[in-house]
Amino acid sequence: MKRRCDSQMLRPVFLDLCAVVLACGIAIPAHAQDRTQPFATYHSASEAILNDPHDLDFGPDGKLYVADKFGARIAIFDPETLEFEGAFGEGLLPNVHDISFGPDGIAYVATTGLNAVALFSFGPDGATSIGILAPFPRTEGALAHSNGRLYVMASGIGELVAVEDEFVVASAGGMPGAHDVEEAPDGTIWVADNFNRRLVRFSEDLELLQVLDGSQYGFVGPRYLAVDDFGHLVVVDQDAHRALLIDPAADRVLGIIGSGAPGLGQYLFDDPEGVAVREGSFYFSDSDNNRIVKYIVVLN
């Protein structure tokens, strides 16, 4: 049976959003240390101007949009130079964790501090708040799927929900504390189920299809992930300070970036939280170092 999400439109939502805002070193297991070859080459890093950045996505304009958690904003970077170009939503997005752009160009922003997904449209004057969808307790992940649905991870109750025309049309539970939601090339949906130390794949109607939790992964706290054009998963294992490239069809690890301990420098992370992939380039939120880092695949 469908249940309706609360939603409001432009002017009243912007005012309500302001009011709500005003109110409101683990070691990697030994079995996971034998596949340490990096799957990409270090390229560059942004300046450390963020405040615990989380997940990131590419906008229709090709820019890189970053959920800057304690900055309570979405930061915008040039993906080639990693130069900071601006921000939107400053002060209105407490504990922001995720951003996903839909086929319509709308930005869907998982705002944990509001237990909601905030919606923004874009025009000549930049981003404009056009509404919120709520409640989703501890909203950690949002996916604007190519099928037109919005998939939201309500981490506080461990429930992934599918929203269509403001109604919840499907759900899957049993994932308390889960974070990211991402679309595979075939339309299926991956979830980073970090408390259960696994990755889970669902159909578009949220039927369970696959679980990756084998000892070869050695997951400690997988928070966010991205899916490349080949269906490979790039998974940020925050509590292990590393990123893994995984072939889910073969159920194996293809490579790892990160030493397993927090650090600052090439091939090192400190509590990484987000990842985005585009045309052989990998972008990571190196969260406790407050920066974005870029790795590339070098082709001979």
Side-chain angles (χ1 to χ4, degrees):
M1 187 172 182
K2 294 181 178 180
R3 72 176 190 263
R4 185 161 190 151
C5 302
D6 295 332
S7 69
Q8 301 165 304
M9 296 310 292
L10 177 60
R11 192 173 303 275
V13 166
F14 184 79
L15 294 174
D16 289 348
L17 187 53
C18 292
V20 173
V21 169
L22 291 174
C24 304
I26 299 175
I28 300 178
H31 56 68
Q33 294 181 357
D34 57 353
R35 302 177 189 86
T36 57
Q37 289 299 313
F39 55 84
T41 301
Y42 176 85
H43 181 274
S44 56
S46 73
E47 294 183 14
I49 59 172
L50 300 171
N51 196 344
D52 198 17
H54 274 53
D55 210 14
L56 51 166
D57 195 15
F58 292 98
D61 57 1
K63 301 298 182 182
L64 191 63
Y65 289 77
V66 182
D68 191 15
K69 179 181 174 182
F70 291 129
R73 64 178 183 170
I74 299 295
I76 307 169
F77 287 83
D78 183 318
E80 300 304 320
T81 65
L82 293 186
E83 292 182 359
F84 176 73
E85 295 195 347
F88 70 85
E90 293 95 327
L92 296 178
L93 302 171
N95 256 5
V96 60
H97 274 67
D98 197 8
I99 179 170
S100 178
F101 284 90
D104 53 4
I106 299 295
Y108 297 83
V109 181
T111 310
T112 311
L114 300 179
N115 298 311
V117 176
L119 282 60
F120 290 85
S121 65
F122 295 83
D125 297 326
T128 301
S129 172
I130 59 171
I132 60 172
L133 291 172
F136 303 107
R138 287 201 57 81
T139 316
E140 298 273 9
L143 166 64
H145 197 282
S146 60
N147 65 11
R149 289 179 173 178
L150 175 67
Y151 294 85
V152 184
M153 174 49 66
S155 179
I157 56 174
E159 185 179 21
L160 175 64
V161 298
V163 179
E164 186 173 352
D165 297 327
E166 301 178 8
F167 289 93
V168 172
V169 295
S171 66
M175 296 174 287
H179 279 55
D180 203 15
V181 190
E182 292 291 335
E183 181 178 355
D186 62 0
T188 58
I189 297 157
W190 283 101
V191 173
D193 187 9
N194 65 294
F195 283 1
N196 289 318
R197 298 185 178 187
R198 63 181 188 170
L199 307 177
V200 186
R201 186 166 67 95
F202 294 94
S203 72
E204 295 179 34
D205 292 323
L206 300 187
E207 299 168 323
L208 179 64
L209 299 176
Q210 186 178 6
V211 175
L212 299 181
D213 60 357
S215 61
Q216 66 270 33
Y217 304 116
F219 288 136
V220 180
R223 297 295 206 282
Y224 288 90
L225 71 150
V227 188
D228 70 15
D229 292 338
F230 304 101
H232 295 150
L233 309 180
V234 187
V235 182
V236 175
D237 194 358
Q238 181 207 11
D239 294 328
H241 311 285
R242 62 185 186 148
L244 298 84
L245 180 66
I246 293 171
D247 181 348
D251 198 18
R252 67 189 180 100
V253 177
L254 302 178
I256 294 175
I257 298 174
S259 69
L264 175 62
Q266 298 183 16
Y267 305 99
L268 295 173
F269 298 116
D270 191 347
D271 279 355
E273 284 272 11
V275 56
V277 179
R278 187 176 70 173
E279 297 175 353
S281 295
F282 303 88
Y283 300 82
F284 300 98
S285 289
D286 189 10
S287 300
D288 278 9
N289 288 321
N290 295 312
R291 64 180 190 163
I292 303 302
V293 292
K294 179 180 180 180
Y295 286 76
I296 62 172
V297 174
V298 178
L299 301 177
N300 295 327

